[in-house]
Amino acid sequence: MNMNMNGLFAHTLTDLIRGIRQNKKNEQSYIAKEIADIRLELRRNDADLKAQAIAKLTYLQMMGYDMSWASFHVVEVMSSPKFLYKGIGYLGAIQSFNQETDVLMLTTNLIKKDLASSNASEIGVAINGLSHILTPDLARDLCADLVAMLNHSRPIVRKKVLLVLYKVFLKYPEGLRLSFSRMKDRLEDPDPSVVSAAVNVICELARRNPKNYLSLAPQLFKLLTTSSNNWMLIKIIKLFAALTPYEPRLTKKLLPPITTLIQTTPAMSLLYECIHTVIAGGMLATTGSGSNAESANTLAATCVTKLRTFLEDPDQNLKYIGLLALTKILPTHPHLVGEHKDIILKCIDDPDISIRMRALDLIVGMASKKNLTEIVKRLISHLLPANETEHSSMNNGSATAALMDPVYRADIIRRIVFICSQNSYANVTNFEWYLAVLSDLTNVAGVNVGTLLMQQFMDVGVRVKSVRTYTIQLMMRLLADTRLTEPDNPESANSMVLLAAAWLTGEYCALLESPESALELLSQKSTAKLDPAIQATYLQSLLKIFAHWMNNLQYSWNEEARQSLVEMVDLLREGVKELFSRSPDLEVQERASNVAVILDIIAEHAPKAPLKIENSISFAPTMPKPPAILSSLYPLFFNQELNPVAPKAQKKVPVPEGLDLESWIHEPIPEPEPLSSGDDDFLNEDSSYGYGWSGEGAAAEKSKKKGKGRHQEDSKESAEAKAKVKITMRHSCVRRPAEGDCSGL
Amino acid sequence: MPINYVLLVSRQGKTRLAKWFTTLSPKEKTKTVKDVTQLVLARRTKMCNFLEYKDTKVIYRRYASLYFITGVGPQDNELLTLEVIHRYVEVLDRYFGNVCELDLIFNFQRAYFILDELLIAGEMQESSKVTVLQAIHDQDATEVEEANEEKVKHTPRF
């Protein structure tokens, strides 16, 4: 009665699957119960039951449940003589064993036995399983057997052995050296699938180490020209792509057959592979002899034409790889790619994000003076919300979602800035246009790229003198823009550009049309909510503009001017005190108090009484002298214009006569005398304060005097002595003179 | 570079088959499966079949209610991988006769065995459908033989 329980109660695999599908609501508990059952089944001695259990476990493993606890049982099932069970066991092993599974050692002999089996299917299953669970030990032990099987009578076995040998060689490189010639022989095998497998393996090996396989080139070349098996051709072409960098003559030989292939093959994948190889293998390099360069160029032109057909194809896949290949051709033949700019720009609007990213990459590489405006315009229109552009017809949920994705938008903006600013703005012909673009971006961005835009504004403003007036106008508009100063959503507003605006208006305030309005904007209430860095710049600029404006007053000094001066000073003092003096940020507070004090001084000295028009002899009312205070601040900021300095400028400054940068400024202290002479106390351990106090300072002085007498050629000294010199010099003013030593100080 | 993994995922995100040709820890495996499934299920019909995930490429195709997904290295030919996927589907179809998802659910071992005849260590083993089917039929024949032997052994002798 103890047997035959299996038929009645144990679940088969089908039962398990059906059960899981029926118990969708309480899946976890159902599966937990099943696993408990499986554990019991595995303890029984019945091979049937065990195999069923392992099959069930494998299914559960696929769903995510761990089965590593059953690895010993898996090996048991693997060793079953029945083919079906063996297959189940191997499958379980494949799915659950990893390099550290300890039962792997038990499998060595098992696999050996299976490899020697008379049944080809068994051999197949064993080889397959082996390819997954290979460890270096297994590889070493089984290598010899596998190599012997390369001459097996059945091609199916030969083929599998070849492929698994690749994996073996990865784990056990010694094996490759011993069996390489045997593998090479397989290239001449009568069965085409075996040849194909051999090519596969050699291709992968060559990718890791191309030099060793150059000797095989002639054989592979023959295969290339004679075979019609597309799969194999693709592999061979890929292989040649890896080889050509090492053997330039190969390029010349390969050009004709590959060109023929490109022009004639109907298979898209083969065509793509050829083009890819041609580009990656450097066959399009235009250096070299005349005829070589010419044929390379024609080849490049052919490739690009073919790629264009890819782009025009409605199949999205072809578009994708077309763009990919064009990106690779771009560095060598930019003009060829530029001819197809229109279609590439269209691809940017494609609803498919993969295609869009590829097209963007391509566009960024293609930007030049002529097409920059167009490209940037296209990219910006891309950023506008979908219902505002003509693309509203594509009401693709995913397209609009992608457009709103902040990472995507930030990426586009960064790319726009990149193509405009690369090579020190080599591509920008009209800086006013570029500044307008930047301010558009500030408004349209919807994502925080403020720092990037701020840097751009500052860069252009400082380096491009000719557009400074325009820049300043733009900056004033930004300062007044309430969307920036009082944003609804501080996260996505680009308030950082206000920093650039403030700084530029401060530095170049001579170009301001209306300094008063600038001052008002800089001291308005909303500034209290801005970032502290921005506030600090505001304060500084405030002072600069005020100084400049005040200085100008002296050229038209009259009662009106006096009144406006007093008003302005009061306004500013109020603004500064209220907004900034209590800011939690230290920098802002410090600057605010500086500015407040300066303003107070000016307020003190500003004439409070209405001006009297002095009567002069000529009866014409003369303007009274403007008070000296007016021009007092101006020199603080505007004595000299600060120009941007190139990073390497310092090197270009010639060293003046008589200055020797290589020699010591101060002769170094000579090496301390050895301890045995007992003269100095450098190594006096008692001086717990280390350096510079009493005994040591005196000792240093003493030996310095001694050193002068003993002039040493070798100016090298220990770092320690140098340090002590430094410290004693520092402390020399605080040390108390040791007894009896009053010299030197 | 060879194929790194083959996944079969239903429209609801259930894994029907997972074959790995590289060694990854189980945690990494689950993570990859989750991420890639999410990416693929979010795609629309008109979009191209290629994706990028971390620094590998993901190539997928939808057949009825199943997504066949493969992961390859960045240097690989995408169109070729699509062909490999298609070859696999063709063989499955021939074997099961008008295959549907249920067939693969209840016979997942067969699906694995068939895949094993097509790919070893991530490389295409056999491009001929006929040969692959022949090998599978051989395997089946062996099983049937063995089962018959068992029956003969166990039938009570008169």
Side-chain angles (χ1 to χ4, degrees):
Chain A
M1 277 314 280
N2 49 356
M3 301 298 128
N4 286 343
M5 299 250 281
N6 39 2
L8 288 177
F9 295 135
H11 286 182
T12 61
L13 178 61
T14 328
D15 293 333
L16 172 70
I17 299 177
R18 239 185 252 134
I20 293 181
R21 283 166 74 84
Q22 281 164 358
N23 287 344
K24 284 211 175 96
K25 298 207 190 105
N26 54 340
E27 203 175 275
Q28 296 259 10
S29 49
Y30 180 73
I31 291 180
K33 187 168 102 31
E34 286 296 319
I35 294 186
D37 282 344
I38 292 173
R39 276 186 206 261
L40 288 174
E41 286 164 17
L42 282 174
R43 291 212 199 103
R44 307 277 294 279
N45 261 332
D46 191 325
D48 268 339
L49 216 49
K50 279 212 177 109
Q52 283 276 16
I54 294 294
K56 284 191 276 187
L57 264 185
T58 317
Y59 186 79
L60 290 173
Q61 191 268 355
M62 198 171 67
M63 296 184 65
Y65 293 87
D66 177 52
M67 66 181 269
S68 48
W69 50 269
S71 38
F72 182 68
H73 299 290
V74 169
V75 178
E76 273 184 325
V77 176
M78 268 162 76
S79 53
S80 154
K82 250 181 108 166
F83 179 70
L84 179 60
Y85 296 164
K86 200 184 275 289
I88 292 178
Y90 269 102
L91 182 61
I94 292 171
Q95 295 293 92
S96 63
F97 284 7
N98 57 26
Q99 297 284 298
E100 277 104 40
T101 313
D102 30 11
V103 296
L104 273 176
M105 285 181 295
L106 300 171
T107 59
T108 321
N109 269 332
L110 173 61
I111 297 181
K112 254 199 208 233
K113 215 177 58 150
D114 284 332
L115 286 178
S117 154
S118 50
N119 186 335
S121 313
E122 270 189 16
I123 304 181
V125 159
I127 293 183
N128 201 338
L130 183 60
S131 73
H132 287 275
I133 59 176
L134 262 182
T135 59
D137 291 323
L138 270 175
R140 202 183 46 228
D141 293 333
L142 295 169
C143 188
D145 295 276
L146 289 169
V147 173
M149 286 171 74
L150 274 176
N151 291 335
H152 200 273
S153 50
R154 301 280 307 271
I156 193 174
V157 172
R158 295 204 293 272
K159 175 179 67 163
K160 288 189 202 248
V161 167
L162 269 173
L163 289 171
V164 83
L165 272 176
Y166 172 62
K167 269 273 167 110
V168 166
F169 295 149
L170 284 183
K171 301 274 176 187
Y172 177 55
E174 285 289 314
L176 177 57
R177 230 167 294 144
L178 302 168
S179 51
F180 184 54
S181 54
R182 302 283 288 277
M183 244 181 36
K184 247 180 22 170
D185 292 338
R186 289 303 112 220
L187 279 177
E188 310 281 324
D189 196 287
D191 188 302
S193 49
V194 178
V195 176
S196 192
V199 167
N200 261 348
V201 174
I202 294 180
C203 192
E204 290 304 320
L205 287 171
R207 225 188 283 209
R208 287 165 183 266
N209 203 345
K211 288 211 183 87
N212 300 351
Y213 301 92
L214 277 176
S215 53
L216 290 173
Q219 241 174 332
L220 294 168
F221 189 73
K222 203 176 67 155
L223 282 171
L224 175 65
T225 42
T226 52
S227 164
S228 58
N229 179 351
N230 281 350
W231 305 89
M232 192 159 71
L233 282 177
I234 291 183
K235 276 283 166 166
I236 296 184
I237 293 178
K238 240 198 174 64
L239 174 57
F240 276 126
L243 288 180
T244 40
Y246 293 89
E247 182 58 68
R249 289 172 297 169
L250 209 48
T251 322
K252 245 204 270 184
K253 263 205 126 189
L254 279 174
L255 273 182
I258 291 194
T259 323
T260 339
L261 274 175
I262 292 186
Q263 282 162 348
T264 54
T265 182
M268 286 291 136
S269 40
L270 184 54
L271 177 57
Y272 176 59
E273 191 59 46
C274 291
I275 297 182
H276 190 261
T277 304
V278 156
I279 301 170
M283 295 186 206
L284 293 181
T286 45
T287 58
S289 58
S291 68
N292 210 3
E294 213 186 278
S295 53
N297 275 338
T298 21
L299 186 55
T302 328
C303 287
V304 176
T305 332
K306 288 278 173 189
L307 288 175
R308 167 121 195 165
T309 47
F310 276 15
L311 287 179
E312 285 164 356
D313 200 298
D315 184 356
Q316 299 283 79
N317 295 336
L318 291 179
K319 272 198 208 150
Y320 181 84
I321 53 174
L323 289 171
L324 204 55
L326 280 177
T327 322
K328 297 217 177 81
I329 272 196
L330 193 62
T332 47
H333 293 82
H335 47 282
L336 279 176
V337 178
E339 284 168 25
H340 304 288
K341 178 176 55 128
D342 50 337
I343 199 168
I344 299 177
L345 278 175
K346 251 204 308 185
C347 286
I348 295 192
D349 295 325
D350 201 292
D352 184 345
I353 189 152
S354 309
I355 294 189
R356 259 209 295 249
M357 300 308 303
R358 289 289 131 252
L360 274 177
D361 278 341
L362 200 48
I363 286 284
V364 165
M366 258 175 41
S368 73
K369 277 211 183 83
K370 296 195 204 119
N371 54 23
L372 188 68
T373 346
E374 203 189 322
I375 293 177
V376 173
K377 204 161 54 145
R378 201 51 183 271
L379 289 176
I380 292 190
S381 71
H382 203 53
L383 281 177
L384 294 172
N387 50 12
E388 281 188 26
T389 68
E390 66 267 25
H391 304 299
S392 55
S393 54
M394 301 186 204
N395 262 325
N396 234 330
S398 67
T400 25
L403 283 178
M404 292 302 131
D405 179 28
V407 175
Y408 179 64
R409 292 177 83 90
D411 191 45
I412 292 199
I413 295 178
R414 243 173 265 131
R415 283 185 206 256
I416 297 177
V417 169
F418 175 71
I419 50 178
C420 292
S421 61
Q422 63 182 345
N423 282 338
S424 303
Y425 305 99
N427 295 332
V428 179
T429 43
N430 183 349
F431 277 98
E432 287 184 16
W433 165 83
Y434 182 50
L435 287 168
V437 163
L438 285 176
S439 64
D440 280 342
L441 282 177
T442 327
N443 293 332
V444 151
V447 73
N448 195 346
V449 285
T451 326
L452 180 65
L453 294 174
M454 168 195 83
Q455 284 165 345
Q456 287 296 296
F457 275 127
M458 302 262 280
D459 214 20
V460 173
V462 170
R463 290 159 75 165
V464 188
K465 268 197 173 133
S466 45
V467 289
R468 254 189 218 154
T469 331
Y470 181 70
T471 318
I472 300 292
Q473 283 171 6
L474 206 56
M475 293 303 115
M476 283 295 288
R477 252 183 272 152
L478 282 179
L479 281 175
D481 191 345
T482 43
R483 282 178 295 181
L484 291 173
T485 50
E486 288 170 44
D488 302 317
N489 184 0
E491 290 289 317
S492 61
N494 293 305
S495 311
M496 268 312 217
V497 296
L498 289 176
L499 195 142
W503 191 88
L504 285 169
T505 36
E507 188 65 16
Y508 304 115
C509 49
L511 300 169
L512 272 175
E513 283 173 0
S514 159
E516 292 95 347
S517 39
L519 287 172
E520 270 170 49
L521 283 173
L522 286 175
S523 57
Q524 64 185 332
K525 285 214 165 56
S526 53
T527 46
K529 300 202 200 92
L530 291 174
D531 190 87
I534 308 182
Q535 286 181 9
T537 323
Y538 265 35
L539 279 167
Q540 192 73 349
S541 296
L542 203 94
L543 205 54
K544 283 188 202 166
I545 301 180
F546 180 64
H548 184 89
W549 173 78
M550 199 172 61
N551 191 43
N552 277 342
L553 278 185
Q554 65 183 338
Y555 302 122
S556 54
W557 186 243
N558 54 18
E559 175 59 25
E560 224 184 280
R562 187 202 70 83
Q563 271 181 358
S564 58
L565 172 67
V566 173
E567 274 170 18
M568 185 59 78
V569 173
D570 282 337
L571 173 72
L572 290 181
R573 279 168 79 194
E574 206 188 293
V576 168
K577 285 218 173 69
E578 252 195 56
L579 299 172
F580 300 115
S581 311
R582 286 187 214 96
S583 159
D585 183 87
L586 287 178
E587 177 77 11
V588 174
Q589 230 191 66
E590 186 171 328
R591 289 199 194 193
S593 26
N594 285 343
V595 171
V597 166
I598 294 180
L599 287 176
D600 284 342
I601 297 178
I602 297 187
E604 246 181 70
H605 289 270
K608 299 198 193 30
L611 296 172
K612 292 196 209 87
I613 302 178
E614 295 165 1
N615 283 328
S616 79
I617 307 167
S618 57
F619 294 109
T622 47
M623 292 300 129
K625 280 218 196 66
I629 191 87
L630 287 182
S631 51
S632 56
L633 269 187
Y634 185 77
L636 193 61
F637 296 116
F638 297 106
N639 253 338
Q640 224 185 8
E641 182 169 334
L642 282 178
N643 289 324
V645 179
K648 301 201 184 118
Q650 179 66 49
K651 283 210 186 105
K652 298 197 186 145
V653 174
V655 181
E657 290 274 331
L659 173 64
D660 181 7
L661 290 172
E662 308 296 322
S663 64
W664 289 102
I665 297 175
H666 173 292
E667 232 179 67
I669 290 258
E671 294 282 326
E673 296 169 29
L675 267 178
S676 50
S677 66
D679 267 347
D680 56 310
D681 304 338
F682 264 26
L683 304 173
N684 184 359
E685 300 295 351
D686 294 338
S687 53
S688 59
Y689 277 110
Y691 311 102
W693 288 99
S694 48
E696 192 152 270
E701 291 283 71
K702 250 193 268 178
S703 74
K704 210 176 13 175
K705 281 198 289 185
K706 283 206 187 116
K708 278 196 194 130
R710 267 188 308 203
H711 178 69
Q712 288 185 17
E713 293 284 68
D714 185 12
S715 58
K716 266 205 204 138
E717 58 175 48
S718 63
E720 201 189 346
K722 242 203 252 177
K724 289 201 169 136
V725 168
K726 265 200 260 171
I727 303 297
T728 46
M729 302 292 271
R730 213 179 346 127
H731 285 274
S732 59
C733 50
V734 289
R735 79 166 173 86
R736 301 163 57 219
E739 297 155 20
D741 184 50
C742 311
S743 57
L745 250 194
Chain B
M1 286 236 270
I3 298 181
N4 295 333
Y5 55 84
V6 177
L7 294 174
L8 263 63
V9 180
S10 76
R11 290 268 308 160
Q12 287 80 34
K14 289 240 162 104
T15 318
R16 297 295 173 210
L17 189 147
K19 184 89 169 169
W20 299 85
F21 295 105
T22 54
T23 33
L24 287 177
S25 76
K27 241 173 93 169
E28 285 172 17
K29 281 187 189 168
T30 16
K31 184 168 182 319
T32 312
V33 171
K34 214 170 55 148
D35 290 342
V36 171
T37 317
Q38 239 180 353
L39 282 175
V40 170
L41 288 177
R43 305 277 283 176
R44 305 268 153 164
T45 8
K46 286 289 180 61
M47 297 188 161
C48 77
N49 300 98
F50 314 125
L51 279 178
E52 275 161 41
Y53 172 63
K54 298 206 178 145
D55 55 351
T56 63
K57 294 196 203 176
V58 173
I59 297 162
Y60 73 94
R61 190 170 258 181
R62 185 173 154 211
Y63 290 88
S65 59
L66 265 186
Y67 283 94
F68 284 67
I69 307 174
T70 52
V72 294
Q75 291 296 330
D76 272 337
N77 186 338
E78 294 93 338
L79 292 178
L80 193 60
T81 323
L82 270 181
E83 290 295 317
V84 171
I85 296 179
H86 193 68
R87 203 30 77 86
Y88 182 47
V89 174
E90 279 179 337
V91 173
L92 283 174
D93 198 41
R94 280 273 201 98
Y95 182 79
F96 287 107
N98 238 341
V99 67
C100 62
E101 190 180 344
L102 272 180
D103 285 326
L104 294 180
I105 295 176
F106 281 101
N107 293 300
F108 75 102
Q109 286 148 303
R110 290 263 177 268
Y112 273 107
F113 291 154
I114 296 179
L115 189 57
D116 286 339
E117 287 300 320
L118 206 58
L119 295 171
I120 284 193
E123 296 284 344
M124 180 96 171
Q125 220 192 117
E126 181 57 62
S127 53
S128 150
K129 274 183 292 198
V130 174
T131 324
V132 173
L133 283 168
Q134 188 62 40
I136 307 274
H137 285 308
D138 283 345
Q139 277 186 9
D140 289 347
T142 325
E143 282 176 33
V144 169
E145 247 182 67
E146 284 181 356
N148 280 340
E149 277 172 22
E150 291 260 335
K151 270 206 212 132
V152 168
K153 255 200 264 168
H154 286 302
T155 34
R157 301 219 194 98
F158 296 111

